Amino acid sequence: MDHRAQLARLGAIEDHSGRTVPVRTSKCLGICFEADVVVVQPSREGRAAGGRPVWLGRVTEDELLEAIDDWIFDGGPGLAPLPAVLADHVTSKDAKKPKKGKKPKHSKAAKKERRKAGKGSGGKGPEGASRPEKGSDEGRTGSEKSDKAKKKAKKAKKKADKAEKAEKKARKARKEAERAGRG
């Protein structure tokens, strides 16, 4: 989505009396999962007629910007009905982030079966004797197993922290680039 073009398009909207509609940008409206968010305020006449601000989420297509333009030209909230194409995009500042679907749990027996099926005959040594798979805990004592698990968890946490730092750095760079583009 070309955000600059979207802002330029929104900034060019005129109401029915030929006045350019004011556009304000915000860093965060608190419902990023609904991005891009556009809040359409009613005109003075619209508010007097009972119109209230309408929050629209997921405004990422030109068709939706056209519908917003037409709606504002017709009077906007309080004076003109909401276009049907925008109905599924109505949200609010109190919108709740949708929960991710849970993955189905698999039984331990099913996991063992999948492991056995995946091993094939690759685990046999030269004499045909079975040996532990690389990375398995077979033949280890309890403390060795827990030490290995702790090391694995520590490594995973370190990797996650590194990824989070990189994401923060990238976000900061995007914000700075966005500010530079505005200025």
Side-chain angles (χ1 to χ4, degrees):
M1 178 80 211
D2 184 354
H3 295 284
R4 287 186 190 167
Q6 187 181 36
L7 277 173
R9 176 72 180 92
L10 289 168
I13 294 176
E14 294 181 352
D15 64 12
H16 62 279
S17 59
R19 292 182 302 225
T20 301
V21 176
V23 174
R24 293 180 203 100
T25 59
S26 171
K27 287 184 180 181
C28 180
L29 294 173
I31 55 172
C32 297
F33 58 93
E34 290 279 352
D36 292 346
V37 177
V38 175
V39 182
V40 180
Q41 296 282 348
S43 63
R44 192 170 293 136
E45 298 83 16
R47 189 169 289 281
R52 296 289 173 250
V54 176
W55 288 57
L56 301 167
R58 303 173 322 278
V59 180
T60 56
E61 300 168 20
D62 290 335
E63 172 190 12
L64 300 173
L65 291 175
E66 281 297 319
I68 291 170
D69 187 347
D70 293 343
W71 185 36
I72 290 171
F73 186 80
D74 292 342
L79 298 177
L82 181 73
V85 71
L86 296 175
D88 289 339
H89 295 271
V90 174
T91 186
S92 75
K93 64 182 177 184
D94 302 320
K96 300 290 182 208
K97 186 172 184 176
K99 293 183 179 180
K100 292 181 180 178
K102 290 186 178 181
K103 293 180 182 177
K105 291 186 178 182
H106 298 288
S107 68
K108 287 184 180 180
K111 276 187 180 178
K112 281 184 181 179
E113 288 300 317
R114 283 194 303 278
R115 280 190 191 149
K116 282 183 183 178
K119 277 186 185 178
S121 60
K124 302 284 179 182
E127 294 89 34
S130 180
R131 61 181 168 177
E133 209 175 297
K134 185 178 178 184
S136 80
D137 288 335
E138 192 177 319
R140 295 179 192 265
T141 65
S143 65
E144 288 174 331
K145 287 179 186 177
S146 67
D147 288 349
K148 186 176 179 185
K150 285 178 186 176
K151 284 180 184 179
K152 230 179 192 180
K154 190 174 181 179
K155 192 174 182 179
K157 184 176 178 354
K158 204 173 194 180
K159 192 174 184 180
D161 290 346
K162 192 174 182 179
E164 187 177 332
K165 282 182 183 179
E167 177 60 28
K168 282 182 181 179
K169 192 174 182 179
R171 232 179 311 178
K172 186 176 179 180
R174 282 193 301 269
K175 283 182 181 179
E176 288 177 5
E178 201 172 282
R179 285 188 195 124
R182 287 185 199 153

